[in-house]
Amino acid sequence: MSKNPPAALTELEPDFVAGLKAIFEQRIVFNSVLGLTIASLRPDGVSGRIAMKPQLVGHYAYNRLHGGVISAGLDAMGGLACMAAIGARHLDEPPADRLQRFAKLGTIDLRVDYLRPAMGEQFELRAEVLRLGSRVASTRMEFLGADGKLLSTGSAAYIVS
Amino acid sequence: MSKNPPAALTELEPDFVAGLKAIFEQRIVFNSVLGLTIASLRPDGVSGRIAMKPQLVGHYAYNRLHGGVISAGLDAMGGLACMAAIGARHLDEPPADRLQRFAKLGTIDLRVDYLRPAMGEQFELRAEVLRLGSRVASTRMEFLGADGKLLSTGSAAYIVS
Amino acid sequence: MSKNPPAALTELEPDFVAGLKAIFEQRIVFNSVLGLTIASLRPDGVSGRIAMKPQLVGHYAYNRLHGGVISAGLDAMGGLACMAAIGARHLDEPPADRLQRFAKLGTIDLRVDYLRPAMGEQFELRAEVLRLGSRVASTRMEFLGADGKLLSTGSAAYIVS
Amino acid sequence: MSKNPPAALTELEPDFVAGLKAIFEQRIVFNSVLGLTIASLRPDGVSGRIAMKPQLVGHYAYNRLHGGVISAGLDAMGGLACMAAIGARHLDEPPADRLQRFAKLGTIDLRVDYLRPAMGEQFELRAEVLRLGSRVASTRMEFLGADGKLLSTGSAAYIVS
């Protein structure tokens, strides 16, 4: 990465951002089932949102979000963070070519720590890439309540080439 | 557990099984979004099924199951395995009382290893409890293709009291 | 925790700190094999150090620290962070009583992400408790080079009661 | 892998086995601190042993093995299982060339579940490769007491190319 400007300073082009948003929110169908939308998209970190709805309930007695919504959302966000970092690293490629890299991205493994019950109307998800290698990327994710309280954390490894 | 007969030999009563099935497949709403159903339910292990459907697609280009369906399904199955083991341990309690314990079950953390792309019409999920303590249970899970090929593995810890 | 002052503001007494240091650095023998020492000890986070030495080498060709030194060190630090947080929560108990709680602390599970090879003369380890419950605590850890570069991250759950 | 005979049926040559044993038990110095030795080495799975000794104690009050010995041992065994599988896949290469691949092997991440306290005179470690890709391998590991009781389980991903 030393040949590139620091990822945090690189601006992603509107075409790439729009393309990534369309893939992430619509074409990855299960993301739309979760209602997972992108809130911000930068090479050094991404954020998203999920709004509570009846289909996402895990514990019927307490109106809690299902843990699977959290693991699925964090996995998706970690992958999105990889795509944003990859997008910034290969700025010499046309946006459409870089978006193709999404098809090659795969989660190797995922860990989620459930700290507190996820109750509320709205949730925020954050992800950052801790290391982007030529073959593997490692990410760290957080799942927060509307009040900013940390509800869950995650970490994951992705194959990126 | 030494006072009880070996878990594997204990039969769960029909009332308890029916109650657990109703909670798991219907009242935990997100499980029904996944289409996750119980195939077998024994104190020493449980199995379930998920059928492919358009909403569960992750990678639009390849018709792959979304990794979040796998993590959500494995987390749910690990919890179900805990419930089956708890159900067998407390046979002296009426089924309804034991089912109440589901409300207190919570995932502490979850790890999923994604080995191979999940493509196909039908998937099988398995979970077993490696250790059921008075406060924490540890489980191991598998996600298989219709041909029995191992696609993903998982492990999780649950708070059970 | 609502009855206590915020953990970060609580001062741990010298007796408790000295006792914890003696247990951690000497009586937990394998910590002394690692050469793991406490650098700072506060209710909201702890830090430690490991100096490179020949016994800790994993990859003989590159003089890299063995990954097991990292996992062992991060596990130990997560447990220490729990003890510091527990120590601050139960200030009404004599230090010796609180130190007894160390005997009941057990790691439920641990995840380590290895980001970059650990080469150098000195390493820093950090841990913080994300949630301290009455039965389970969740922690997050980091393993850094002497230059502050993040080499590995970890997360773990502990049984605390 | 379809071009090769099933890994389980491939015999590793004595030269390769002897070379791997020398690297693993002696040149990876920290393994020798753990006293970790290879008991069996086959393409479809490996096993090893650790004998209790005072330096490996974690909990002084109970003579328990330190959790870090378990995580370090399981990480090492997972890597060894990768090497055995790689050794069987590249039988066309001279043993010395294949042993060089050890230098390129790196743990991506590791999870350990601690099920029961590790007390006793002797412990057995097992590891198998669940999937060996061209870039990443996934493994599953077990840590057992002398009586065959399962004390800890692990899973890990390795970069293999």
Side-chain angles (χ1 to χ4, degrees):
Chain A
M1 289 188 77
S2 58
K3 289 183 235 161
N4 292 317
L9 304 179
T10 312
E11 203 64 39
L12 294 167
E13 321 94 303
D15 276 11
F16 181 78
V17 169
L20 203 50
K21 197 172 163 70
I23 292 174
F24 187 81
E25 296 182 358
Q26 293 158 33
R27 300 190 67 184
I28 298 183
V29 187
F30 192 62
N31 284 355
S32 72
V33 171
L34 300 175
L36 176 57
T37 57
I38 300 176
S40 72
L41 193 65
R42 292 166 47 87
D44 61 339
V46 299
S47 66
R49 286 196 197 96
I50 287 179
M52 187 43 131
K53 54 181 177 177
Q55 298 96 301
L56 305 184
V57 169
H59 210 293
Y60 58 95
Y62 303 119
N63 213 35
R64 271 191 219 156
L65 205 64
H66 192 289
V69 175
I70 296 170
S71 64
L74 292 181
D75 182 9
M77 292 303 295
L80 183 69
C82 290
M83 280 306 300
I86 291 169
R89 180 184 279 190
H90 298 276
L91 280 175
D92 50 314
E93 292 179 13
D97 288 12
R98 271 175 283 152
L99 291 173
Q100 294 284 9
R101 291 175 178 269
F102 215 153
K104 291 178 191 162
L105 190 78
T107 314
I108 298 170
D109 56 52
L110 168 73
R111 169 169 173 142
V112 179
D113 288 83
Y114 299 93
L115 305 173
R116 298 174 181 92
M119 291 181 281
E121 292 311 303
Q122 184 85 19
F123 303 98
E124 189 189 341
L125 301 89
R126 295 181 194 157
E128 60 174 329
V129 176
L130 295 181
R131 182 177 172 273
L132 176 60
S134 59
R135 294 164 296 175
V136 172
S138 297
T139 66
R140 190 156 60 177
M141 297 86 76
E142 295 185 339
F143 195 95
L144 305 107
D147 57 356
K149 189 159 205 136
L150 187 61
L151 304 179
S152 293
T153 57
S155 57
Y158 298 85
I159 199 137
V160 295
S161 62
Chain B
M1 291 185 75
S2 56
K3 288 181 238 164
N4 292 318
L9 303 179
T10 310
E11 203 65 38
L12 295 168
E13 319 94 299
D15 276 10
F16 181 77
V17 170
L20 203 50
K21 199 171 161 70
I23 294 175
F24 188 80
E25 296 183 359
Q26 293 158 32
R27 300 190 68 183
I28 299 185
V29 187
F30 192 62
N31 284 358
S32 72
V33 171
L34 301 173
L36 176 57
T37 56
I38 299 176
S40 73
L41 191 68
R42 291 166 48 85
D44 61 339
V46 298
S47 68
R49 288 199 195 95
I50 288 178
M52 187 47 130
K53 54 181 178 176
Q55 299 96 300
L56 304 185
V57 170
H59 209 293
Y60 59 97
Y62 303 119
N63 212 35
R64 269 191 222 156
L65 204 65
H66 192 289
V69 175
I70 297 170
S71 63
L74 292 181
D75 181 9
M77 292 303 294
L80 184 68
C82 291
M83 279 306 298
I86 290 169
R89 180 183 281 192
H90 298 276
L91 281 176
D92 49 315
E93 292 179 13
D97 287 11
R98 272 175 283 150
L99 291 171
Q100 294 286 7
R101 292 174 177 270
F102 216 154
K104 291 178 190 163
L105 191 78
T107 315
I108 298 171
D109 55 52
L110 169 74
R111 166 165 177 144
V112 179
D113 288 83
Y114 299 93
L115 306 173
R116 300 174 179 91
M119 290 180 284
E121 292 310 305
Q122 184 85 18
F123 304 97
E124 190 190 339
L125 301 90
R126 293 181 196 158
E128 60 173 331
V129 175
L130 295 179
R131 180 177 173 275
L132 176 60
S134 58
R135 293 164 296 177
V136 172
S138 296
T139 67
R140 189 155 61 176
M141 295 88 74
E142 295 186 339
F143 195 95
L144 305 107
D147 56 356
K149 192 162 203 135
L150 188 60
L151 305 179
S152 292
T153 57
S155 56
Y158 298 85
I159 198 140
V160 294
S161 59
Chain C
M1 292 186 76
S2 56
K3 289 183 235 163
N4 292 319
L9 303 179
T10 311
E11 205 63 40
L12 294 168
E13 319 94 302
D15 276 9
F16 181 78
V17 169
L20 203 50
K21 198 172 162 70
I23 293 175
F24 188 81
E25 297 182 358
Q26 293 159 32
R27 301 191 66 184
I28 299 183
V29 187
F30 192 61
N31 285 355
S32 73
V33 171
L34 301 174
L36 176 58
T37 55
I38 299 176
S40 71
L41 191 68
R42 292 166 46 88
D44 61 340
V46 298
S47 68
R49 288 198 196 95
I50 288 178
M52 187 47 130
K53 54 181 178 178
Q55 299 97 298
L56 304 184
V57 169
H59 208 293
Y60 58 97
Y62 303 120
N63 213 35
R64 271 190 219 155
L65 204 65
H66 192 288
V69 176
I70 297 171
S71 63
L74 292 181
D75 182 9
M77 292 302 294
L80 183 68
C82 291
M83 279 306 299
I86 290 169
R89 181 184 279 191
H90 298 276
L91 281 176
D92 49 315
E93 292 178 14
D97 288 10
R98 273 174 283 152
L99 291 172
Q100 293 285 10
R101 291 173 177 270
F102 215 152
K104 293 179 188 160
L105 192 77
T107 313
I108 298 171
D109 54 52
L110 167 74
R111 167 166 174 144
V112 179
D113 288 85
Y114 298 92
L115 306 173
R116 300 176 179 88
M119 290 180 282
E121 291 311 304
Q122 183 85 19
F123 303 98
E124 189 190 340
L125 301 89
R126 294 180 195 159
E128 61 173 330
V129 175
L130 295 180
R131 181 177 172 274
L132 175 59
S134 58
R135 293 165 295 178
V136 173
S138 297
T139 66
R140 191 155 60 178
M141 297 86 75
E142 295 186 339
F143 195 95
L144 305 107
D147 57 356
K149 191 162 204 134
L150 187 61
L151 304 179
S152 293
T153 57
S155 56
Y158 298 85
I159 199 138
V160 294
S161 60
Chain D
M1 291 186 75
S2 56
K3 287 182 237 165
N4 291 320
L9 303 179
T10 311
E11 204 61 39
L12 294 168
E13 319 95 303
D15 276 11
F16 180 78
V17 170
L20 204 49
K21 198 171 161 69
I23 293 176
F24 187 80
E25 297 183 357
Q26 293 157 33
R27 301 191 66 186
I28 300 185
V29 187
F30 192 61
N31 285 356
S32 72
V33 171
L34 300 175
L36 176 57
T37 57
I38 299 177
S40 72
L41 192 67
R42 292 166 47 87
D44 61 339
V46 298
S47 67
R49 287 198 196 95
I50 288 179
M52 186 45 130
K53 54 180 177 177
Q55 299 95 303
L56 305 184
V57 169
H59 210 292
Y60 58 96
Y62 304 119
N63 212 34
R64 271 190 218 156
L65 205 64
H66 192 289
V69 176
I70 297 171
S71 64
L74 291 181
D75 182 9
M77 292 302 295
L80 183 70
C82 291
M83 279 307 298
I86 290 170
R89 181 183 279 189
H90 298 276
L91 280 175
D92 50 313
E93 292 179 13
D97 287 12
R98 272 175 283 153
L99 291 172
Q100 293 285 7
R101 292 174 179 268
F102 215 154
K104 291 177 189 162
L105 191 78
T107 314
I108 298 171
D109 55 53
L110 169 73
R111 168 169 175 141
V112 180
D113 288 85
Y114 299 93
L115 305 174
R116 299 175 181 91
M119 290 180 284
E121 290 312 302
Q122 183 85 19
F123 303 99
E124 190 190 340
L125 302 88
R126 295 182 193 156
E128 60 173 331
V129 175
L130 295 180
R131 181 179 172 273
L132 176 60
S134 59
R135 294 165 295 177
V136 172
S138 297
T139 66
R140 191 155 60 177
M141 296 87 76
E142 295 185 339
F143 195 94
L144 305 107
D147 57 356
K149 189 158 207 141
L150 187 61
L151 305 179
S152 293
T153 57
S155 57
Y158 298 85
I159 199 137
V160 294
S161 62

